[in-house]
Amino acid sequence: MGDSPLAILADLAVNGKTMTEPTTAPETDRTDMYRGEVDPRGEELVLVLDFGSQTAQLITRRVREQNVFCQMVRHDLSAERIRELNPKGLILSGGPASVYGDGAPQPDPAIFDLGIPILGICYGMQITCRSQGNTVIPSDSREFGRTDCATTSSDPLFEGLPAASTVWMSHGDQVEGLNTNFVSLAQTDTCPVAAVKHRERPLYGLQFHPEVTHTEYGGRLLANFVRTICGCRGTWKISSLIDREIETIRERVGSNRVICGLSGGVDSSVVAALLYRAIGDQLSCIFVDNGLLRKGERDEVEERFASHFKTDLHVVDAGDLFLNELAGVSDPQKKRKIIGRLFIDVFREEAKSIPDAHFLAQGTLYPDVIESGANPDGPAATIKSHHNVGGLPEELGFELIEPLRDLFKDEVRNMGLELGLPDNLIWRHPFPGPGLAVRCLGAITPPGLETLREADAILIEELHNAGLYRDIQQAFAVLLPVQSVGVMGDDRTYEDTIAIRAVQTDDFMTADWYHLPYEVLGRISTRITNSVRGVNRVVYDISSKPPSTIEWE
Ligand code: XMP
């Protein structure tokens, strides 16, 4: 979820984990593009050659921000195929390998003679420099983190940048001892060649990562490469991507039926909207009401659906089933397992009532793909598998359609806006699959869920009233399994406690507690204790992640 490659870098920086394990993963419908079956349809194209960096796809998204179509392809795509595709530029990504390692991934050496501008990033720079006779110094230790970088020669790549700025490093080996064909453009304290260019050929290298936001002027550097050095005009738009996806979906689906599981969130709604545009009433949607939804959520989904789609919606009322199986269960992971299993059972049963369905559409985003190491051909290392990945198992027997598989959350939001989905849906905070079950601590009871729903609705309403909802990435109430003493009128009470959680985060892997103004906190607390029965105390969670998590369970 979220912009996770950044988080992975952050994670690497914080925890010092290294990227060593190669990945194997199932085939997906996107591997043809990855293998070079790219169709730029007349658009300016930049290709990112994937050497396995966790941030390789992030480069493609930064290039798309320049309104240039960008596709990530295998690192060893042949120079001949690249020439046919006629890209305006090539970017060689970073990667976990050392250029000295056994089996270090290599590009086709002929790419350096194509005359196409090349930007090598980190490992990509080392491979580029080494191919041109420069020395790369091996290193046993890796350098992670922010560092100051000073430009040493002026060049269009650094146009508009100050002489010194902060960059994000994540490397072991580095280039040293340039030959006379090359000139160093920048340096840091530990890295004498932090940026480099060939004197005559359009070959550039950056030892640091311009694609991550920790590199202060990374966006400008990539823009300079794409616009000035590659000469792109930047005419591509997110609507071109929508058109492309619609066409692809139509071709694949033919006259078959597609099932789409709706969760009420942004990703599945955008998938449904795309499919509806592509195949109209060949789309059937399934929404499972597991009894763990927020206040009014089911009605909202139904109303929104009715106003946007004139097609088949199956709302499965499975609340009792879920709550019965969850009764008395207090272990969070057990709750998750039960919910996951029941969801699959319920979904499978409902899908049987849609007899001619052949495809299942899912809102998998790129960060989910990279976190589960699911790039089939890629040299990327698997870092961690995250609990948002997964959902429905393969045994359901459908062919998968995952039209958001190459995209990041904000691109999906743009796509949703372009498809006409409402603002309040597009900017909705994420809501976990297990729903209120992981926010009702300990064993779940229907009255506890009701208390939590009411408190949560007040919180969200007050955040909207204060104009803060969009500034916070996730906010919710938690019902604690703790009673405490209070006083109401002349009576002593012994009632429940609600905790309020609100976080700011780029990626949901690290997060800071949101500094809510006291007045807003005061209003939330007063309203909850005045109007939610059985609650006499409200507390605010001021923990960051790490060491806490965002959810309490
Ligand atoms: P944590 O609690 O790990 O949460 O800091 C990070 C993000 O993941 C969401 N989350 C989940 N999402 N199933 C989901 O679909 C889960 O079991 C789950 N647990 C946490 C959480 O809401 C936050 O956005």
Side-chain angles (χ1 to χ4, degrees), residues 355-498:
D356 49 347
H358 185 72
F359 293 93
L360 178 70
Q362 281 193 327
T364 318
L365 305 194
Y366 187 73
D368 304 333
V369 177
I370 189 74
E371 275 171 20
S372 56
N375 199 346
D377 294 346
T382 303
I383 299 292
K384 67 203 310 182
S385 73
H386 193 245
H387 39 221
N388 281 323
V389 183
L392 293 161
E394 275 176 36
E395 316 91 74
L396 281 185
F398 296 106
E399 259 186 67
L400 278 189
I401 296 185
E402 296 178 306
L404 312 181
R405 218 185 144 79
D406 286 343
L407 303 182
F408 289 83
K409 191 80 175 186
D410 53 346
E411 295 181 304
V412 171
R413 289 204 168 103
N414 286 339
M415 208 178 212
L417 288 169
E418 186 76 27
L419 286 163
L421 295 175
D423 265 25
N424 63 353
L425 167 62
I426 296 298
W427 295 106
R428 206 187 81 129
H429 293 171
F431 186 62
L436 299 185
V438 289
R439 296 177 179 174
C440 216
L441 304 197
I444 301 162
T445 62
L449 282 174
E450 215 28 57
T451 303
L452 180 56
R453 269 192 195 103
E454 292 302 321
D456 190 72
I458 291 171
L459 164 68
I460 300 301
E461 193 179 307
E462 286 300 332
L463 295 181
H464 279 297
N465 291 346
L468 296 174
Y469 185 82
R470 284 258 309 257
D471 203 34
I472 295 168
Q473 278 67 53
Q474 198 170 13
F476 51 87
V478 181
L479 177 65
L480 306 190
V482 170
Q483 275 80 43
S484 70
V485 175
V487 57
M488 182 152 328
D490 291 333
D491 290 330
R492 182 179 179 278
T493 59
Y494 192 62
E495 292 184 326
D496 288 333
T497 309
I498 286 285

Side-chain angles (χ1 to χ4, degrees), residues 1 336 386-388 430 432-434 474 508 545 549-551:
M1 169 167 293
R336 280 193 172 82
H386 193 245
H387 39 221
N388 281 323
Q474 198 170 13
F508 296 89
K545 174 185 178 179
T549 50
I550 296 176
E551 301 291 345

Side-chain angles (χ1 to χ4, degrees), residues 90-306:
L90 298 178
I91 300 179
L92 276 47
S93 84
S98 158
V99 290
Y100 292 102
D102 285 342
Q106 299 290 336
D108 179 343
I111 65 169
F112 299 109
D113 301 322
L114 289 171
I116 299 170
I118 292 181
L119 174 66
I121 294 175
C122 196
Y123 180 83
M125 159 168 161
Q126 293 156 17
I127 286 280
T128 305
C129 286
R130 201 153 179 250
S131 78
Q132 305 297 306
N134 295 293
T135 313
V136 176
I137 305 287
S139 163
D140 293 335
S141 58
R142 294 179 73 91
E143 181 190 7
F144 290 111
R146 288 186 173 87
T147 185
D148 293 329
C149 178
T151 43
T152 46
S153 301
S154 69
D155 188 85
L157 188 63
F158 282 84
E159 181 68 36
L161 268 75
S165 64
T166 305
V167 299
W168 181 266
M169 288 285 197
S170 168
H171 69 108
D173 302 343
Q174 63 187 32
V175 175
E176 275 196 32
L178 292 174
N179 63 37
T180 53
N181 288 330
F182 279 81
V183 54
S184 172
L185 299 177
Q187 63 183 36
T188 71
D189 278 350
T190 52
C191 181
V193 189
V196 71
K197 82 168 212 178
H198 194 287
R199 290 185 195 275
E200 270 123 43
R201 295 164 155 211
L203 303 179
Y204 287 82
L206 296 173
Q207 182 55 70
F208 53 88
H209 288 267
E211 69 277 21
V212 306
T213 48
H214 310 335
T215 294
E216 227 180 333
Y217 294 93
R220 179 68 199 249
L221 274 168
L222 285 170
N224 287 342
F225 177 70
V226 169
R227 297 289 186 130
T228 313
I229 293 161
C230 301
C232 292
R233 288 167 297 125
T235 50
W236 180 86
K237 297 193 218 57
I238 199 87
S239 56
S240 322
L241 192 60
I242 293 177
D243 295 344
R244 172 187 294 267
E245 286 303 337
I246 286 175
E247 221 175 282
T248 312
I249 291 167
R250 281 187 186 144
E251 270 166 29
R252 260 193 93 195
V253 169
S255 58
N256 283 298
R257 177 158 292 278
V258 181
I259 296 182
C260 177
L262 283 184
S263 72
V266 184
D267 308 338
S268 65
S269 304
V270 170
V271 170
L274 253 181
L275 277 152
Y276 186 62
R277 277 250 182 122
I279 57 168
D281 63 8
Q282 281 165 254
L283 171 68
S284 289
C285 290
I286 297 179
F287 177 69
V288 176
D289 180 350
N290 56 10
L292 302 163
L293 304 174
R294 284 181 158 175
K295 187 177 179 184
E297 194 157 13
R298 173 174 167 172
D299 293 344
E300 249 173 59
V301 171
E302 285 185 286
E303 276 162 32
R304 201 183 299 129
F305 192 89

Side-chain angles (χ1 to χ4, degrees), residues 523-549:
R523 271 199 300 278
I524 294 166
S525 168
T526 307
R527 272 191 67 191
I528 291 178
T529 45
N530 281 351
S531 62
V532 182
R533 252 170 186 275
V535 176
N536 66 357
R537 193 174 296 274
V538 175
V539 296
Y540 190 42
D541 180 350
I542 51 168
S543 350
S544 296
K545 174 185 178 179
S548 298
T549 50

